[in-house]
Structure formats: structure tokens, C-alpha cells
Amino acid sequence: MEQIHITDVSPRDGLQNQQVAVDTAAKLRLIQLLAAAGVQSVEATSFVSPKAVPQMADAAELVPLIASRLPALRTSVLVPNLKGLERAHAAGAREIAVVLSATETMNQKNINMGLRQATEVSEQTLRAAQALGLRTRAYVAVAFDCPFEGETALDTVVTLALRMHGAGAGEVVIADTIGSASPGMVKQRLAAIAQAVPRDQLAVHFHDTRGMGVANAWAALEAGIRRFDASVGGIGGCPFAPGAAGNVATEDLVLMAERSGFATGIRLDGLLDAIDFAETQLQRPLGGRAITWLRRQRDKARAATG
Ligand code: COA
Ligand code: ZN
């Protein structure tokens, strides 16, 4: 079976927008449950301004805990600028992700920079990270639609993906930040982007706002993409992008991929344990589209084994 690679972004994208405070020990526990389920890669936190995103203020405490408890887990952290890189490196991070949006307004709202400055800062941060020996990812956010400017120009997305690749990003992550993409758009946009960046260095990051997350992931698979972001239980959303719902759920993506002949290395029953834990932390029901069926399967299996 062909392997696909999933990065679970729930500790970062999932928790950055929650009303309920989740403490550092609970974040570590969630990540341990993900690793126990077979998840090989997580985006653990972000080194951003604690004023902008108080939920990620404990990044410098969390990263060394993960490194000591789960040394084999590939762990990236989001950094918006050189100050974030410096903090991440000091905490022992080995992989960073920069976040560049494909419109002027989204960059202003998210990181308080215009598109030109955000592009330059992302390039500088990527180069500085490589000089420190770190692995790198680069998000191209609002790659389909922007909550402020409407449909994003495809030319801009392609140009920015190329610039991030040129600055050495190991992975360029095409992100549907508000979950507005459709499978047809995904097919068309990825075909154009893959002219600029090799497919094996492209990843996709879908949100499930309109119920098309899994369909979009399938369109990306058919377009030759093998790297996916997802969030266990479908938690997620950007605090600076109004209307964004959670990411495509990791369990939905795993179910779809495995039923379609791709290996993920991830066990669904392990993901259910992580979802149960996240529900106790966030004090509300979680889960993607398949959650009711998945839990019923688990109950049946448990009843059968007594
Ligand atoms: N981590 C922590 N603090 C940071 C920082 C970082 N990466 N970058 C800047 N700061 C601090 C500065 O040191 C300064 O602190 P001070 O007021 O104590 O002197 C303050 O923030 C303002 O610095 P400035 O460079 O003017 O930043 P800003 O106010 O223009 O904010 C960002 C820019 C990028 C730091 C801020 O917009 C941010 O953190 N955005 C979060 C984006 C995000 O996480 N979005 C969701 C995920 S996509
Ligand atoms: Zn996201």
C-alpha cells in the first residue's frame, strides 16, 4: 500500500482558538495519545505574541517536554517572524513553520504586516532556520478564498509557493484557512501550484467548514499530493479568520485514506482515545463526520471481546 503522511495540527490549530484554557500537562497528554495512536508528526504549538494568542503562551515549556517524552515524534512549531524562531530554537524545536497569507488584508489581520513584508520576513525566517539546522515548512494561507478579500488570485498563490520553495521550505503547505475550497478548485489550483513546487514537497491543509474537507483531501490525493494536515476530532480554526470552522478531522482522513488503499500508520481506536481526552478538556462533544459510526464500531468490538 502506498503511504500518506499526516501531520496532526490539533495541539496548535485546534487549541489556538479555544475558549477553555488547556494547561501544558494536558497538551502533552493529548500529544502522547496521538503518538500512541501512530501519529508520526504533529504541529505542537506556536511561538507567537502571547497577547495575540494567549492559548499558545506556554510554547517554551511544552516543546522541551515533548522532546524528552517523545523523542521520535516529528514536531513542528509555528513561528511568524525571527523573534518566534529565536524563541523556538532556544526551546529546542527542530522544525518550524512560517505562516504567509496570500492576501494583503489577511496578513495584516494575522501578523500585522502587509503581503510584501510578510513574504520577506517568511523568507528570512526560513533561511535563518536552515542556518540553525532546523527543518522547515511554509504555509501559504487563504490559498483559495480570503475572509476579507474574497477569492484569492491563483497567480499570487503560485508565486508565493515558489518563493517559499526558493527560500528552502522543505514543505509548502497550501492552506484552505476558512474551509471554502471545493474538490474542483483543489484539482485546478494544485495542478497550477505543482508546476512551481514538486508534488512531494507540497502538503495540503483543509478546514471542514462546508463539509468538503474529506472530498478536498481526495481531490488532493488524486492530484498526487501525499502530505496532509488534519486535526483530531476536527478541532481548529484561526482566531483572525472569521467564519473558519475546524480542520478536516484526522479520523475522517485516516478512514477515507485506508478505505481507499493508502496506509497512514495511524490506528482509529487510538484516535478515539485522543478525542475522548480532548472532549474532557474542552468540555464539549468533538469529532468529525464519522465519529458516531467510529464509536459504534468500537463499542461493538468491546462487547465482542467482553
Ligand atoms: N513571540 C512572542 N512575542 C513576540 C513575537 C513572537 N514571535 N514577535 C513579536 N513579539 C513581541 C515583541 O517583542 C513586542 O513585545 P513588547 O511589546 O513586550 O515589546 C510585541 O510583541 C510587539 O512586537 P511587534 O514586532 O511590533 O509585533 P506586532 O505587534 O506587529 O505583532 C506578531 C506581530 C506576528 C507577533 C503578532 O501579530 C502575532 O503573534 N500574531 C499571531 C498570529 C497567529 O498565531 N495566528 C494564528 C495562526 S495562523
Ligand atoms: Zn488551519
Side-chain angles (χ1 to χ4, degrees):
M1 277 208 291
E2 196 181 347
Q3 186 83 25
I4 67 164
H5 184 87
I6 297 177
T7 297
D8 192 294
V9 297
S10 62
R12 196 278 298 171
D13 208 337
L15 297 182
Q16 70 184 2
N17 202 19
Q18 300 296 332
Q19 306 302 316
V20 182
V22 177
D23 65 28
T24 313
K27 291 177 181 179
L28 177 65
R29 181 80 192 123
L30 174 65
I31 294 167
Q32 285 174 316
L33 288 167
L34 292 171
V39 170
Q40 294 124 48
S41 169
V42 298
E43 188 158 276
T45 184
S46 50
F47 287 84
V48 297
S49 160
K51 284 183 200 136
V53 188
Q55 292 89 338
M56 300 288 113
D58 62 347
E61 285 83 59
L62 181 60
V63 166
L65 286 172
I66 301 167
S68 69
R69 307 290 162 85
L70 298 163
L73 183 69
R74 183 174 162 191
T75 305
S76 74
V77 299
L78 185 144
V79 304
N81 55 17
L82 288 168
K83 164 128 193 193
L85 172 64
E86 202 178 287
R87 291 180 57 220
H89 182 58
R94 284 173 298 175
E95 178 163 11
I96 58 101
V98 297
V99 57
L100 172 62
S101 297
T103 66
E104 192 65 31
T105 318
M106 190 65 224
N107 281 303
Q108 290 288 357
K109 300 275 183 188
N110 195 36
I111 56 173
N112 196 29
M113 296 174 211
L115 176 56
R116 193 194 178 112
Q117 190 192 355
T119 308
E120 287 166 4
V121 166
S122 296
E123 287 174 330
Q124 282 166 11
T125 306
L126 286 170
R127 293 204 168 100
Q130 291 156 71
L132 293 168
L134 307 188
R135 287 175 84 159
T136 56
R137 315 175 85 207
Y139 282 102
V140 179
V142 297
F144 295 86
D145 294 279
C146 169
F148 308 104
E149 296 188 19
E151 187 169 332
T152 308
L154 177 55
D155 282 1
T156 308
V157 176
V158 172
T159 303
L160 297 179
L162 187 59
R163 295 234 348 224
M164 294 301 97
H165 181 62
E171 220 171 82
V172 177
V173 190
I174 304 301
D176 179 19
T177 309
I178 60 170
S180 67
S182 64
M185 285 175 83
V186 170
K187 187 178 173 192
Q188 179 224 4
R189 293 201 161 209
L190 287 176
I193 296 163
Q195 303 285 316
V197 180
R199 278 185 179 78
D200 62 356
Q201 283 175 273
L202 284 172
V204 285
H205 175 111
F206 294 120
H207 283 257
D208 206 16
T209 315
R210 304 187 192 178
M212 289 189 215
V214 166
N216 290 336
W218 176 250
L221 266 173
E222 291 223 298
I225 305 300
R226 297 291 179 264
R227 296 175 182 277
F228 295 83
D229 283 4
S231 170
V232 79
I235 51 178
C238 175
F240 308 103
N247 295 73
V248 64
T250 308
E251 64 276 16
D252 289 353
L253 182 61
V254 168
L255 183 62
M256 181 275 273
E258 301 258 343
R259 296 271 305 158
S260 304
F262 293 92
T264 63
I266 300 176
R267 288 182 303 101
L268 288 163
D269 57 342
L271 292 179
L272 289 175
D273 293 340
I275 296 168
D276 290 347
F277 177 74
E279 283 186 339
T280 63
Q281 288 296 314
L282 300 176
Q283 298 156 34
R284 62 185 174 84
L286 301 173
R289 311 273 153 186
I291 191 68
T292 307
W293 183 83
L294 287 170
R295 283 192 165 132
R296 207 181 299 136
Q297 296 305 109
R298 176 173 64 177
D299 292 346
K300 275 193 211 161
R302 280 183 180 164
T305 56

